[in-house]
């Protein structure tokens, strides 16, 4: 048994060992199988990816443009249309190019281009793989956009492809670049590059660039200096930023030129010494700019070219675009006439005086006209779009009062005190008038452009809030600049007519900012259409826009902008001026009140216009704006706007706004204190004996509800009579013989006016009128008249008149009834004695008569030259006459009568 048992155990052990050995062999076989599977899977995936890549590449290049060799040499011109989409205003790119051969291009220019654009141009086959990989790595790691395109790729991109930056377009670019390299030699490709490049504005091809910038013809390119060649090589990277015909580009262009010189040194074309010498040469010393006469819409066209290139990247001179713009040709021509002729404005004869204009649609932001400057030339400096000057007081609605209304809901009647004041750093601030007016409304402060209240508003709002408000209106203020409190009064170099027009239009359209634009759409040769019109963005509440607008109405109605006002048009606007600093005044001998910049920005519901006037540079004592020329911006605005405004539409008060007196306020916000009403006029007090009452009447003009407070004073005591909305009142049963003094004041919204006053004495029943006193009559021979005068003894009597009679030869006649205390008897009979009688009369009765007599001169006595005439004087009730014994006779002399003239006493 035991042996059997052992044998069974051993057999089991042997079986288990065999089984384990079998499992090991099977595991090894299974391991090898897994790796085979992984290998085959990867191989399959790789083949699939390769096939997919090939398929994707094939799919992408199947849509690539056909390789049309004519596009390499015969670029398509672009057409620019007016707002009606029918009127062709310009065709750019149609000019004959001065194509040159590779043999005409000097080595210095070739070397500059190769060092800058494609150092391995003669080594690759259209694509510089190494440079492309470096560019991709840099883009990923540095987050910047580095170009890796070869010269061949640039030609392909500009000739066949759209400017979009996509992988599809890049693959098509590679494919077409290889095709180009297969069909043309390196020299032919380089020749195309020089002939096709854009050098800014309408300067196309290196031959045209050399002629425009340096005055060199196509057969004179061998005269190019190193500095000039380096500049030409650098411009195509960003033509509009480097074109040297624009003065503001010169600094950037010189830096770009110097960078090209550095590339030339790096690649061994020039030594370090030559590089440094060329870099030290001022760019101005290398230029000889040749001006080209533009068309009548040139400033607008140049803006269109730049806008299309910036928004689409297209080469407008060769891509065959149809460009639809916003221009109104009639408005553009009126604008040019206002700037470049003396038909509307009498400009001084100083070429450095410039003025620029932008007119745009208030509701859409579409630019209707651009006045780039006086006598603007093609590709010249566009003062309407490119200047960065101090805006002066035109900034106040944007940075001070607009933000305050938006944030605090101030009313137009909000009170700020104009007083001696300082910036936060202690520097004093002054008004232009060098005076202070105390507490006034912000409407009044804005109308008269006071600086101190504007700064107070800005400080109360806060720099951050105010700057953000301005930025939302398209007015650029950086974080570094916003720390300067003098921004509040326009001391910041950031304004252009384009920027100011865009900002102010937002006040006129209810609070929407629309970036001004000149192009509505572009249609490419393949029919693709791209919309370029700006969209609108809500940047303020409608109440802010309306309150600012209404305050700016006051500026042109009665404030600093009256000269720009246009009758019959709902117009709002703001003036702005800036001054020179003390160093410039001392250096050039300028007056202390010399103006550097003058602005006017205004708008109607239809159009917005911004006008700047100033000198490009100050080089002499004549280069400043005086009292007359500082008004040019207002006059230019009025000249243009009065001729183009066709709408009588007015600014509509939104539902969020209410009115109190003359001031507007935001519902739920600060309600302004009502203005003081005008005092009543024409107050009269009349006693009526029949009703024994005094009737008061007065005049008052007001569209608002007004009540009147009436009081009277008698015997030193003042009592209230009544309050009424009528223009009359009655005091019943006044005391006889008393004098009543009445005061009437207007009350509107709780505010009382100054009082109008009138007095009356009620005549007692038994009081008789006193006779006139001091009766005097005198004959004047020269005028042949008797002058009569007397005094009024009835100080308290009312409604007194005087009956004047005269008696001659027993016959009594009435001369006159008058309320005056003098009378005149004309053409009395010579030699006759006249008895003059005067009686006082009113409702209470008549006085006793007072008489005097006077004798008229008879026949002239040649021995008596006394021309004084005779005079008579008597007391009341008497008849004594003082006669001049030497009477002079008057012979029918008639002279001009002078009624109611008192005689010399």
């Amino acid at each position: 048994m035991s042996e059997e048992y052992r044998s069974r155990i051993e057999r089991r052990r042997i079986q288990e060992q065999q089984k384990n050995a079998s499992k090991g062999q099977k595991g090894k076989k299974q391991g090898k199988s897994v790796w085979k599977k992984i290998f085959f899977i990867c191989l399959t995936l790789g083949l699939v990816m390769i096939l997919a890549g090939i398929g994707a590449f094939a799919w992408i290049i199947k849509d690539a443009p056909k390789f049309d060799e004519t596009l390499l040499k015969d670029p398509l011109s672009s057409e620019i249309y007016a707002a009606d989409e029918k009127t062709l205003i310009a065709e750019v790119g149609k000019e004959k190019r001065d194509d040159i051969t590779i043999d005409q291009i000097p080595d210095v220019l070739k070397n500059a281009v190769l060092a800058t654009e494609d150092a391995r141009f003669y080594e690759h086959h259209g694509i510089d793989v190494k440079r492309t990989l470096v560019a991709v790595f840099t883009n990923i790691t540095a987050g910047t956009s580095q170009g890796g395109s070869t010269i061949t790729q640039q030609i392909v991109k500009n000739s066949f492809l759209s400017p979009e930056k996509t992988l599809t377009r890049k693959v098509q670019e590679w494919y077409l670049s290889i095709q180009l390299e297969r069909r043309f030699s390196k020299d032919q490709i380089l020749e195309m590059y020089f002939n096709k490049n854009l050098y800014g504005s309408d300067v196309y091809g290196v031959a045209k660039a050399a002629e425009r910038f340096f005055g060199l013809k196509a057969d004179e390119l061998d005269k190019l200096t190193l500095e000039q060649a380096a500049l030409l090589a650098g411009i195509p990277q960003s033509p509009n930023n480097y074109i040297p015909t624009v003065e503001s580009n010169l600094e950037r262009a010189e830096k770009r030129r110097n960078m090209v010189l550095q590339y030339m040194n790096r690649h061994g074309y020039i030594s370090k010494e030559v590089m440094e010498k060329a870099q030290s040469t001022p760019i101005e010393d290398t230029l000889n700019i040749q001006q080209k006469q533009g068309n009548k819409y040139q400033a607008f066209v140049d803006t269109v070219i730049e806008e299309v290139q910036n928004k689409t990247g297209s080469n407008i001179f060769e891509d065959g675009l149809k460009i639809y713009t916003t221009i109104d040709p009639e408005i553009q021509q009126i604008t040019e006439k206002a700037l470049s002729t003396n038909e509307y404005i009498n400009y001084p004869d100083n070429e450095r005086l410039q003025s620029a204009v932008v007119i745009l649609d208030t509701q859409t932001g579409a630019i209707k006209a651009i006045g780039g400057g006086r006598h603007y030339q093609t590709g010249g400096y566009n003062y309407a779009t490119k200047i960065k000057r101090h805006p002066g007081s035109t900034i106040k609605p944007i940075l001070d009062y607009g933000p305050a209304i938006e944030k605090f809901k101030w009313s137009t009647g909000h009170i700020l005190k104009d007083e001696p004041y300082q910036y936060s750093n202690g520097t004093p601030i002054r008004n232009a008038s060098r005076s202070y007016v105390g507490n006034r409304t912000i409407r009044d402060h804005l109308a008269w452009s006071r600086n101190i209240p504007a700064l107070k508003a800005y400080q109360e709002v806060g720099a951050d809030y105010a700057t953000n408000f301005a930025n939302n209106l398209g007015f650029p203020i950086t974080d570094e600049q916003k720390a300067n409190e003098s921004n509040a009064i326009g001391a910041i170099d950031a304004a252009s007519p384009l920027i100011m027009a865009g900002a102010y239009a937002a006040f006129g359209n209810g609070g929407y900012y629309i970036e001004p634009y000149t192009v509505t759409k572009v249609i490419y040769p393949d029919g693709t259409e791209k919309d370029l019109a700006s969209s609108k963005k809500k940047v303020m509440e409608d109440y802010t826009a309306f309150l600012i607008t209404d305050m700016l109405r006051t500026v042109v109605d009665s404030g600093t902008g009256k000269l720009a006002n246009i009758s019959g048009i709902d117009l709002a606007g703001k003036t702005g001026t800036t001054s020179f600093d003390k160093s410039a005044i001392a250096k050039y001998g300028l007056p202390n009140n010399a103006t550097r910049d003058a602005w006017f920005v205004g708008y109607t519901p239809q159009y917005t216009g911004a006008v700047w006037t100033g000198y490009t540079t100050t080089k002499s004592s004549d280069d400043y704006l005086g009292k007359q020329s500082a008004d040019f911006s207002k006059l230019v605005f009025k000249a243009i706007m009065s001729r183009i405004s066709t709408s009588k539409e007015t600014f509509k008060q939104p539902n969020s706004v209410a009115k109190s007196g003359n001031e507007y306020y935001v519902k739920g916000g600060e309600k302004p204190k009502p203005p003081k009403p005008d005092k009543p006029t024409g107050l009269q007090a009349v006693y009526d004996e029949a009703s024994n009452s005094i009737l008061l009447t007065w005049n008052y003009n007001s569209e608002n509800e007004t009540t009147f407070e009436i009081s009277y004073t008698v015997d030193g005591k003042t009592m209230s009579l009544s309050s009424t909305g009528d223009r009359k009142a009655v005091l019943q049963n006044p005391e006889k013989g008393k004098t009543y003094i009445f005061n009437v004041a207007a009350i509107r919204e709780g505010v009382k006016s100054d009082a109008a006053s009138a007095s009356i004495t009620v005549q007692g029943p038994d009081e008789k009128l006193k006779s006139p006193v001091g009766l005097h009559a005198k004959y004047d021979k020269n005028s042949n008249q008797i002058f009569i005068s007397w005094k009024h003894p009835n100080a308290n009597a009312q409604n007194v008149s005087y009956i004047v009679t005269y008696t001659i030869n027993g016959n009594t006649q009435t001369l006159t009834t008058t309320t005056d205390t003098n009378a005149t008897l004309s053409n009395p009979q010579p030699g006759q004695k006249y008895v003059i009688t005067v009686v006082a009369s009113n409702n209470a009765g008549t006085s006793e008569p007072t008489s005097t007599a006077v004798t008229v001169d008879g026949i002239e006595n040649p021995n008596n030259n006394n021309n004084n005439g005779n005079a008579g004087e008597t007391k009341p009730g008497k008849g004594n006459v003082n006669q001049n014994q030497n009477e002079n006779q008057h012979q029918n002399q008639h002279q001009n009568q002078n009624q109611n003239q008192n005689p010399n006493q």
Side-chain angles (χ1 to χ4, degrees):
M1 289 290 292
S2 59
E3 291 179 0
E4 260 183 54
Y5 177 76
R6 284 196 296 269
S7 62
R8 283 200 302 270
I9 296 298
E10 289 174 357
R11 283 199 301 269
R12 265 183 214 164
R13 189 180 298 118
I14 292 170
Q15 288 174 353
E16 287 177 1
Q17 289 175 353
Q18 291 175 345
K19 187 177 180 181
N20 291 334
S22 176
K23 285 183 179 180
Q25 291 175 356
K26 187 177 180 181
K28 290 180 180 179
K29 291 180 180 179
Q30 287 179 343
K32 292 179 180 179
S33 176
V34 169
W35 284 109
K36 285 182 181 179
K37 287 181 180 179
I38 293 174
F39 173 75
F40 282 118
I41 290 173
C42 291
L43 180 61
T44 302
L45 288 175
L47 290 173
V48 169
M49 291 180 65
I50 291 172
L51 292 174
I54 294 172
F57 185 82
W59 182 79
I60 290 174
I61 66 173
K62 77 178 178 59
D63 294 326
K66 293 181 180 179
F67 194 92
D68 186 352
E69 292 186 15
T70 61
L71 296 179
L72 296 171
K73 297 184 179 180
D74 300 317
L76 301 175
S77 61
S78 296
E79 296 175 342
I80 301 177
Y81 291 91
D84 62 6
E85 299 191 353
K86 297 177 182 179
T87 304
L88 182 67
I89 63 170
E91 187 174 359
V92 296
K94 68 177 183 178
E95 304 88 349
K96 181 181 180 300
R97 272 74 171 177
D98 289 337
D99 286 349
I100 56 176
T101 66
I102 192 67
D103 295 332
Q104 292 177 274
I105 300 172
D107 288 342
V108 67
L109 181 55
K110 290 180 189 177
N111 295 340
V113 168
L114 293 175
T116 305
E117 298 295 336
D118 195 350
R120 283 180 289 274
F121 174 70
Y122 286 101
E123 300 171 14
H124 61 68
H125 299 287
I127 304 171
D128 189 338
V129 177
K130 179 180 178 181
R131 186 179 180 190
T132 300
L133 292 175
V134 170
V136 171
F137 179 78
T138 304
N139 292 343
I140 294 173
T141 57
T144 59
S145 179
Q146 295 290 326
S149 296
T150 63
I151 286 177
T152 310
Q153 288 175 260
Q154 292 179 45
I155 294 173
V156 166
K157 178 178 64 176
N158 293 333
S159 300
F160 302 114
L161 300 172
S162 67
E164 61 181 349
K165 294 183 177 181
T166 64
L167 178 60
T168 298
R169 191 202 65 81
K170 198 66 177 176
V171 171
Q172 292 175 348
E173 179 185 300
W174 291 338
Y175 168 73
L176 291 172
S177 295
I178 294 172
Q179 298 300 313
L180 181 60
E181 290 272 351
R182 286 177 178 176
R183 301 190 187 199
F184 296 93
S185 69
K186 287 290 187 180
D187 282 350
Q188 287 175 316
I189 293 172
L190 193 58
E191 183 179 296
M192 292 177 197
Y193 177 85
F194 282 115
N195 286 322
K196 287 180 66 65
N197 262 337
L198 175 65
Y199 290 85
S201 185
D202 65 338
V203 184
Y204 192 108
V206 73
K208 281 289 184 185
E211 180 181 1
R212 183 72 64 83
F213 306 154
F214 312 123
L216 297 176
K217 300 294 184 182
D219 58 358
E220 298 177 311
L221 293 181
D222 58 344
K223 297 180 180 178
L224 283 170
T225 66
L226 173 61
E227 295 86 354
Q228 292 171 334
L231 178 60
L232 290 175
I235 290 175
Q237 184 196 60
S238 183
N240 289 327
N241 286 321
Y242 298 140
I243 182 172
T245 57
V246 178
E247 185 177 358
S248 61
N249 283 350
L250 293 181
E251 183 177 352
R252 288 192 296 268
E254 184 171 302
K255 288 181 179 179
R256 176 63 178 165
R257 180 205 67 182
N258 291 344
M259 181 63 70
V260 172
L261 291 168
Q262 187 175 329
Y263 291 147
M264 294 181 73
N265 170 250
R266 179 187 301 172
H267 292 288
Y269 291 111
I270 59 175
S271 66
K272 183 178 180 181
E273 292 74 21
V274 171
M275 176 192 72
E276 291 176 346
K277 181 180 179 182
Q279 288 177 332
S280 66
T281 303
I283 191 171
E284 293 87 351
D285 293 350
T286 67
L287 299 175
N288 181 18
I289 302 298
Q290 308 297 304
Q291 295 293 347
K292 177 187 174 183
Q293 186 65 39
N295 71 16
K296 55 187 175 182
Y297 310 119
Q298 196 60 52
F300 192 94
V301 169
D302 283 349
T303 307
V304 168
I305 293 171
E306 185 171 351
E307 186 171 321
V308 170
Q309 290 172 341
N310 289 340
K311 288 185 177 181
T312 71
S314 298
N315 187 340
I316 194 173
F317 294 95
E318 62 178 30
D319 287 352
L321 310 177
K322 289 186 181 297
I323 302 167
Y324 295 91
T325 75
T326 59
I327 190 175
D328 185 316
E330 182 179 355
I331 298 177
Q332 181 69 35
Q333 291 182 52
I334 291 172
T335 299
E336 293 292 349
K337 185 179 290 186
L339 293 181
S340 299
T341 74
N342 283 352
E343 184 171 339
Y344 304 147
I345 312 295
N346 186 23
Y347 293 105
D349 186 17
N350 188 326
E351 64 180 13
R352 287 191 291 276
L353 175 66
Q354 278 293 348
S355 190
V357 180
V358 167
I359 303 293
L360 55 80
D361 186 309
T362 302
Q363 304 304 319
T364 68
I367 299 174
K368 295 300 175 181
I370 295 176
R374 299 184 63 232
H375 310 295
Y376 181 84
Q377 298 290 329
T378 302
Y381 187 75
N382 193 327
Y383 291 92
T385 62
K386 294 184 180 298
I387 61 170
K388 293 182 179 180
R389 306 281 282 220
H390 284 192
S393 291
T394 58
I395 198 65
K396 291 172 182 175
I398 298 172
L399 202 55
D400 307 328
Y401 297 117
I405 294 172
E406 182 79 0
K407 185 175 183 179
F408 302 126
K409 296 184 179 180
W410 282 0
S411 72
T412 60
H414 183 81
I415 301 297
L416 289 175
K417 189 174 184 180
D418 180 34
E419 59 186 339
Y421 199 65
Q422 297 174 338
Y423 290 104
S424 298
N425 64 6
T427 303
I429 178 176
R430 296 180 297 182
N431 297 320
S433 64
R434 302 296 193 268
S435 62
Y436 313 99
V437 298
N439 288 322
R440 297 287 176 88
T441 64
I442 58 174
R443 177 191 297 277
D444 189 73
H445 290 317
L446 187 57
W448 294 105
S449 211
R450 300 185 186 103
N451 291 333
I452 292 167
L455 175 60
K456 286 186 174 183
Y458 175 81
Q459 290 175 331
E460 192 162 345
V461 169
D464 289 338
Y465 189 93
T467 299
N468 185 62
F469 187 90
N471 286 340
N472 285 337
L473 289 175
F475 192 91
I477 301 175
T478 65
D479 289 340
E480 293 75 17
Q481 290 173 317
K482 74 179 180 182
N484 183 10
E485 282 190 332
S486 62
N487 292 346
I489 59 172
I492 177 173
D493 284 319
S496 70
L498 181 67
I499 288 172
M500 300 308 293
Y504 269 61
F507 295 122
N509 65 30
Y512 294 90
Y513 176 69
I514 310 167
E515 183 179 3
Y517 62 97
T518 61
V519 181
T520 57
K521 64 181 178 180
V522 169
I523 299 179
Y524 292 89
D526 62 0
T528 302
E529 185 174 316
K530 188 170 186 178
D531 183 12
L532 297 184
S534 300
S535 58
K536 66 180 183 180
K537 175 186 176 184
K538 184 75 171 177
V539 294
M540 71 181 88
E541 298 296 333
D542 57 2
Y543 56 73
T544 302
F546 182 78
L547 265 60
I548 288 292
T549 294
D550 193 66
M551 291 196 293
L552 294 180
R553 283 168 165 165
T554 305
V555 173
V556 295
D557 287 341
S558 58
T560 59
K562 286 191 295 183
L563 201 58
N565 203 1
I566 303 169
S567 176
I569 295 177
D570 195 0
L571 174 65
K574 185 69 187 78
T575 57
T577 58
T578 69
S579 56
F580 289 91
D581 57 37
K582 294 181 179 179
S583 62
I585 290 174
K587 181 177 180 179
Y588 300 108
L590 304 175
N592 289 328
N593 62 348
T595 297
R596 182 174 183 264
D597 303 280
W599 293 86
F600 185 82
V601 189
Y603 55 95
T604 70
Q606 184 180 18
Y607 295 123
T608 298
V611 185
W612 165 83
T613 304
Y615 282 82
T616 57
T617 55
T618 300
K619 296 183 178 179
S620 73
S621 59
D622 295 328
D623 297 342
Y624 71 94
L625 299 175
K627 184 176 182 181
Q628 181 179 359
S629 53
D631 287 333
F632 283 168
S633 291
K634 288 175 277 189
L635 296 175
V636 169
F637 177 90
K638 184 173 184 177
I640 297 172
M641 199 68 75
S642 63
R643 289 168 172 80
I644 69 173
S645 297
T646 57
S647 173
K648 299 297 181 182
E649 184 183 358
T650 59
F651 297 107
K652 300 299 188 294
Q653 177 182 335
N655 293 330
S656 58
V657 172
K659 191 174 186 180
S660 174
N662 294 324
E663 304 297 348
Y664 288 98
Y665 65 95
V666 182
K667 292 178 180 178
E670 170 199 55
K671 190 173 182 180
K673 182 179 179 181
K676 188 175 184 179
D678 295 329
K679 75 175 183 179
T681 60
L683 177 62
Q684 289 186 335
V686 178
Y687 174 69
D688 180 61
E689 187 174 11
S691 62
N692 190 27
S693 62
I694 299 174
L695 175 65
L696 298 175
T697 59
W698 60 89
N699 300 319
Y700 199 82
N701 293 322
S702 175
E703 298 178 357
N704 301 305
E705 183 176 348
T706 306
T707 58
F708 300 93
E709 181 181 271
I710 304 132
S711 63
Y712 64 93
T713 301
V714 60
D715 293 336
K717 296 180 180 179
T718 300
M719 289 164 279
S720 176
L721 178 58
S722 65
S723 292
T724 178
D726 296 330
R727 269 68 166 170
K728 61 182 179 180
V730 177
L731 175 64
Q732 301 287 352
N733 303 316
E735 292 186 48
K736 307 290 185 181
K738 299 289 186 180
T739 297
Y740 288 79
I741 301 173
F742 293 92
N743 290 305
V744 179
I747 300 177
R748 188 167 62 241
E749 298 184 66
V751 181
K752 184 187 295 187
S753 72
D754 294 332
S757 298
S759 63
I760 186 173
T761 300
V762 180
Q763 195 71 38
D766 299 328
E767 183 178 351
K768 294 184 64 177
L769 287 175
K770 297 178 182 178
S771 300
V773 297
L775 179 62
H776 183 82
K778 180 177 181 181
Y779 171 67
D780 181 69
K781 186 175 80 170
N782 291 331
S783 63
N784 193 26
Q785 292 177 320
I786 297 174
F787 296 107
I788 307 162
S789 64
W790 61 93
K791 295 180 181 179
H792 177 55
N794 302 284
N796 295 325
Q798 301 294 320
N799 302 319
V800 177
S801 61
Y802 298 93
I803 304 169
V804 183
T805 61
Y806 64 91
T807 303
I808 180 175
N809 297 326
N811 183 20
T812 300
Q813 298 185 42
T814 299
L815 174 62
T816 185
T817 299
T818 179
T819 57
D820 293 330
T821 56
N822 56 75
T824 302
L825 174 62
S826 300
N827 299 319
Q829 297 179 19
Q832 297 296 320
K833 177 181 178 182
Y834 285 77
V835 177
I836 309 298
T837 302
V838 181
V839 176
S841 174
N842 70 357
N843 294 334
T846 58
S847 70
E848 293 293 330
T850 300
S851 298
T852 188
V854 63
T855 300
V856 178
D857 290 348
I859 298 174
E860 184 178 349
N861 184 348
N863 296 322
N864 190 345
N865 294 322
N866 184 3
N867 292 328
N868 292 330
N870 298 322
E873 221 176 326
T874 189
K875 296 181 181 179
K878 305 295 182 180
N880 298 331
V881 180
N882 296 323
Q883 297 185 3
N884 186 335
Q885 299 298 320
N886 296 317
E887 295 181 349
N888 296 321
Q889 186 176 10
H890 189 70
Q891 299 291 336
N892 297 323
Q893 293 181 343
H894 297 281
Q895 302 183 11
N896 292 331
Q897 298 180 3
N898 184 4
Q899 298 294 331
N900 300 326
Q901 179 177 335
N902 292 324
N904 294 325
Q905 297 291 326

